[in-house]
Amino acid sequence: MIAIRRRSSPYAAVLVCLLALSASGCGLSAELERERNPDPGPRPSSTPPAVSAAPVPESSASVPVQAAGGCPSSGVRLGTGLINGAMGLRGMTLTLTNCGERPFELNGYPSVTVLDEAGEPFPDVRTVEGTDQVPMASGGPGPEPLTLAPGETAQAGLVWRMHAEDGVYLRVTPQKGHETVTVRPEQALDIGPDNVLGTSPWKPME
């Protein structure tokens, strides 16, 4: 791995803010709901019923996705975190775990395509390397080569602006020459058509 001098970046500050919103429980769910439905009407005065955990979304039979459990033949498993955001800026963590028996090398950005419920690419959603083309998100440092030992995980960031329509699946290629995998995040990406999806480079999971 190549060592570089650490420096602060606006992009890091954006991700710290997004993650802090999620970790602190400062009303992220309410914020997302207010942005989708600014006039929800009066709240009922009766005691609300017990809320059960939200079920994990099921994948459509017509859209093949990464199998649950075990280790794929590629030796790596992709995953996603929950959506963090406020003021219309959204962020999600993409993870890659070396579940195989040999070291796995990475150097660059993930290639990501947002798909709808039917598995079709969203029209005119443009994925770019870096986040400086996403309004309110600043650019960050470039990629560095890293090697994942078996059991280690790398992460990359996805950043976009809120839109009214949901992207249900993500088609991900970790980097050029690697196998493409389709995953279904626990939460849909409210990105919609005519939008930009910014990506940050792979780095070791913190």
Side-chain angles (χ1 to χ4, degrees):
M1 184 182 297
I2 298 176
I4 64 171
R5 184 175 62 186
R6 293 184 176 270
R7 60 186 180 89
S8 61
S9 71
Y11 173 68
V14 171
L15 284 186
V16 167
C17 291
L18 293 176
L19 295 174
L21 282 169
S22 176
S24 64
C26 295
L28 172 59
S29 297
E31 173 67 23
L32 297 178
E33 180 60 27
R34 281 195 298 272
E35 290 178 353
R36 288 178 177 272
N37 183 15
D39 185 18
R43 296 183 178 179
S45 59
S46 59
T47 302
V51 178
S52 58
V56 176
E58 296 182 359
S59 300
S60 168
S62 62
V63 183
V65 299
Q66 175 182 257
C71 185
S73 59
S74 63
V76 295
R77 170 166 290 279
L78 286 162
T80 60
L82 299 179
I83 294 174
N84 303 303
M87 300 294 291
L89 182 64
R90 301 289 188 253
M92 173 185 282
T93 299
L94 184 67
T95 61
L96 184 149
T97 300
N98 181 1
C99 58
E101 299 178 352
R102 296 180 296 179
F104 189 84
E105 296 182 353
L106 282 170
N107 183 13
Y109 298 81
S111 175
V112 183
T113 302
V114 183
L115 310 178
D116 62 18
E117 181 69 43
E120 297 295 328
F122 257 55
D124 300 323
V125 170
R126 183 166 55 95
T127 301
V128 297
E129 294 182 351
T131 60
D132 53 343
Q133 296 186 46
V134 180
M136 291 181 65
S138 301
E144 300 177 46
L146 66 138
T147 300
L148 297 178
E152 291 185 335
T153 298
Q155 64 179 4
L158 305 180
V159 181
W160 68 96
R161 293 292 300 175
M162 184 192 76
H163 198 286
E165 298 183 46
D166 290 337
V168 178
Y169 300 95
L170 297 177
R171 182 184 295 156
V172 182
T173 305
Q175 63 185 18
K176 291 182 179 179
H178 287 214
E179 180 181 341
T180 298
V181 177
T182 300
V183 296
R184 180 165 188 167
E186 292 185 31
Q187 295 174 296
L189 280 70
D190 53 352
I191 185 169
D194 301 313
N195 210 330
V196 176
L197 178 67
T199 62
S200 69
W202 294 109
K203 64 178 183 179
M205 188 75 172
E206 297 177 352

